[in-house]
């Protein structure tokens, strides 16, 4: 089984800790290893690092390779430009030697958190075994709340009661609050976690059928690898969900119950970090007086806080961010403002 | 007229901006000049810098002299150790040449804010003229709210209706809330602003009578100036209020209505700083998204805040402080904690 890790994200949700040159997947948000390193380490008992492929951007490739010395350098693929997930996945699969391309391939985001690694591996092992016969799987996460920021998978017939394999009827875009609540209550929907499993050659056949322009572009790259930078930039920028998965009438899924989180915000991180008896999660040199339920992160320097409740305070060498935890989505607006103001030093 | 500025304070209320080596009076809290420099500049039309004396601590003397190049260096007096205000004032007066010692002397804290400089000078001029005949004055501030953190002066008979000169019946220590409210409502009390006026020779005579140990100590210093450090440390540590002023039955006062503030906290500073249309006061490189009524001070680096209301956020090169404005007294607890933890680098 091969693992393909998508590590090209340039998310700004953990600003000021995350920057263009150091996005979320390269951060050690829970201490010790980075999310990328944890993603690889989590697989190891099932998929060793020599069977790991990482697709990232040119700007991040050296950093990725540095964090993953056990992954062969040739398997750290650098996209000349991010073109969404369909080109990234299809290009990476074409890079695999034919023998490995005919194995099951698991596609995994580099920046998610899994609470129960062993449970995750068990699900992935089942997914791999299922994919070996040609089945394509989009793994889903049992929804724990009515999230309006995720896409959902609608569940159909049970294909295998023992493993929990089930048909996906359709993909649902981010729903509004009322629909999301219905999805969670009804029990017939999963969060789309962006985790897939398929045989590599089967995926390429599906790309050929559903995304012929992408297939043609990849063929051109194969013929003229020196023109990679130019040709890659002209590939259709489309997600694997839209470009391939939604078009399948035999897509399958397995539900994941293994403490998955996409760590989409400082608030989401605060939910999974250890807390002291006042409910605070601290990192670095923090002095907290009469504070509760706050995430207090001092990457450099000293942080002193008093009388805070439900706040996020993050301090790096050059910046500090303060906001209520519940408004941590608004870090995007901060970053947009910095971009508008040309503050490249802070992005 | 001579002016004696007390600049030995080591307050920690503006931590992390204020430090032992850079206390409040040496900070430019309103931009431009420091509180000490403003105190001297404010006097200039009435008392020129050559008639200004500054009493500070040995650790701060160079910094004080540097900020006040127009004040003769010999008139920047360095206490070997802070011994409260009675020794500081009496020692400084003994340092004055006899001719100047017989002039009126105004004693002024170095770290207060005055909104109306001209009004303040008019009051001080009246105080000086009154002191010239031997009267001792403790100037008071008309209370604007029921402050429990200040001492009060109880007013007695009116001595001069034209100038507003009035007898002080007694000093009242920091009252509780109910008493403070009564003081403000009744109109017969002033805040004790720590501003005094007297003839220097009269003050020394009063010290001789009411604080004979201090007078004897100062005489010993005069005899053996080389033993200053040792002798000064043995002077009785007592305030001029307790040691002298409270014992006078002919103490007079003038009410000040000139936008006085002791800037006793970040909250007090926020009240006097200019605000933008969202009610925020900012300093330095601040990006504020959806914030209201907050004091956002970036001494170094960038500060980004979102969704804050009524907060204080202060960032220096080495530290950041975050607290609700209304709890800015708790900065003391932060500083105490740092002291307990031996964080000399941050004090």
């Amino acid at each position: 089984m091969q693992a393909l890790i998508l590590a090209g994200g340039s998310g700004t949700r953990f600003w000021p800790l995350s920057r263009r040159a150091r996005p979320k997947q390269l951060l050690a948000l829970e201490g010790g290893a980075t999310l990328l390193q944890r993603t690889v380490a989590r697989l190891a008992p099932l998929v060793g690092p020599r069977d790991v492929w990482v697709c990232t951007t040119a700007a991040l490739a050296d950093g990725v390779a540095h964090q993953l010395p056990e992954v062969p350098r040739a398997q750290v693929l650098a996209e000349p430009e991010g073109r969404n997930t369909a080109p990234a996945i299809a290009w990476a699969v074409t890079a695999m030697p034919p023998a490995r391309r005919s194995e099951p391939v698991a596609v995994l985001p580099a920046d998610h958190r899994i609470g129960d690694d062993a449970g995750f591996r068990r699900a992935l092992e089942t997914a791999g075994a299922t994919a070996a016969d040609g089945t394509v799987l989009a793994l889903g996460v049992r929804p724990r709340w009515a999230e309006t920021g995720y896409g959902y998978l609608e569940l159909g017939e049970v294909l295998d009661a023992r493993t929990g394999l089930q048909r996906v009827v359709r993909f649902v875009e981010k729903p509004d609050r009322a629909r999301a609540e219905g999805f969670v209550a009804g029990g017939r929907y999963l969060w789309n976690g962006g985790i897939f499993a398929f045989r590599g050659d089967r995926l390429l056949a599906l790309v050929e059928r559903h995304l012929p322009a992408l297939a043609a572009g990849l063929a051109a790259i194969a013929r003229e690898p020196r023109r990679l930078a130019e040709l890659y930039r002209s590939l259709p920028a489309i997600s694997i969900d839209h470009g391939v998965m939604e078009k399948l009438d035999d897509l399958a899924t397995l539900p994941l119950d293994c403490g998955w989180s996409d760590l989409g915000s400082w608030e989401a991180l605060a939910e999974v970090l250890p807390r002291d008896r006042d409910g605070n999660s601290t990192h670095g040199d923090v002095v907290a007086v009469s504070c509760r339920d706050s995430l207090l992160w001092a990457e450099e320097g000293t942080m002193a806080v008093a009388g805070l409740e439900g706040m996020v305070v993050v301090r790096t060498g050059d910046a500090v961010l303060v906001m209520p935890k519940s408004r941590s989505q608004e870090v995007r607006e901060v970053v947009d403002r910095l971009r508008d103001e040309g503050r490249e030093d802070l992005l």
Side-chain angles (χ1 to χ4, degrees), chain A:
Chain A
M1 187 169 179
Q2 304 292 304
L4 167 56
I5 296 172
L6 301 182
S10 60
T12 52
R13 297 176 179 193
F14 285 89
W15 189 91
L17 201 59
S18 64
R19 304 291 172 99
R20 279 182 186 151
R22 195 177 65 162
K24 178 180 148 199
Q25 62 269 26
L26 301 186
L27 299 178
L29 292 174
E30 295 186 68
T34 67
L35 287 169
L36 173 66
Q37 290 171 325
R38 285 172 190 265
T39 301
V40 172
R42 181 182 301 125
L43 296 171
L46 180 65
V47 183
R50 303 202 69 81
D51 290 321
V52 167
W53 301 72
V54 185
C55 191
T56 186
T57 60
L60 299 179
D62 285 345
V64 166
H66 181 76
Q67 287 198 359
L68 301 175
E70 68 283 20
V71 173
R73 184 64 180 82
Q75 291 171 208
V76 176
L77 306 169
E79 293 182 280
E81 176 181 288
R83 301 295 291 167
N84 211 330
T85 51
I89 292 169
W91 179 56
V93 172
T94 62
M96 296 177 184
R100 295 161 81 179
R101 203 187 293 164
S102 64
E103 291 181 23
V105 177
V107 174
L108 307 161
D111 62 348
H112 290 178
R113 178 188 193 270
I114 301 290
D116 170 14
D117 285 351
F120 180 75
R121 278 192 301 272
R122 280 194 299 274
L124 211 60
E125 191 167 17
T126 302
T130 307
D133 70 5
T135 301
V136 177
L137 296 97
L139 278 68
V141 178
R142 282 211 195 283
R144 301 193 296 274
W145 62 84
E147 175 63 52
T148 58
Y150 300 155
Y152 285 72
L153 307 175
E154 183 180 342
L155 295 171
E157 60 176 315
V158 174
L159 300 172
D160 183 340
R162 189 183 58 81
T163 58
L165 194 72
Q166 214 161 340
R167 182 73 70 215
V168 174
V169 176
R170 63 184 177 110
F171 281 68
V172 183
E173 296 278 347
K174 295 173 183 178
D176 61 20
R177 170 72 49 188
R179 288 185 77 205
E181 285 171 356
F183 290 173
V184 175
R188 291 201 309 114
Y189 289 82
L190 301 177
W191 288 337
N192 177 5
I195 302 169
F196 304 98
F198 43 70
R199 269 178 50 167
D201 48 10
R202 169 108 165 99
L203 186 276
L204 292 182
L206 291 169
V207 167
E208 186 86 41
R209 185 190 314 165
H210 297 293
L211 293 172
L214 174 56
L218 292 174
I221 290 172
R223 282 192 305 271
E224 296 185 274
R226 288 190 184 174
R227 292 179 62 208
L228 170 68
E230 170 200 348
L231 294 169
Y232 201 94
R233 285 190 171 80
S234 68
L235 297 180
I238 188 168
S239 72
I240 196 75
D241 307 53
H242 279 308
V244 176
M245 300 296 164
E246 289 182 4
K247 294 171 177 164
L248 308 184
D249 52 16
D250 57 353
L251 185 66
T253 189
L254 279 174
L256 295 172
D257 278 306
C258 51
W260 174 91
S261 166
D262 74 342
L263 295 181
S265 66
W266 284 110
E267 183 177 28
L269 178 62
E271 280 163 6
V272 303
L273 288 179
R275 295 169 173 231
D276 64 22
R277 62 184 176 181
D278 297 318
N280 300 314
S281 300
T282 64
H283 174 100
D285 186 15
V286 174
V287 176
V289 174
S290 308
C291 288
R292 290 173 48 199
D293 300 330
S294 294
L295 174 55
L296 307 169
W297 189 294
E299 187 75 4
E300 287 186 31
T302 298
M303 176 184 298
V305 288
L308 301 189
E309 188 165 345
M311 299 290 289
V312 173
V313 186
V314 184
R315 188 206 148 106
T316 62
D318 56 355
V320 60
L321 172 74
V322 186
M323 49 174 45
K325 249 196 283 190
S326 61
R327 301 184 69 160
S328 59
Q329 297 297 342
E330 292 182 34
V331 72
R332 284 170 188 237
E333 292 178 44
V334 167
V335 174
D336 287 348
R337 184 91 69 90
L338 292 171
R339 190 179 296 116
D340 293 348
E341 292 174 1
R343 297 298 304 273
E344 298 295 318
D345 56 315
L346 291 169
L347 297 174

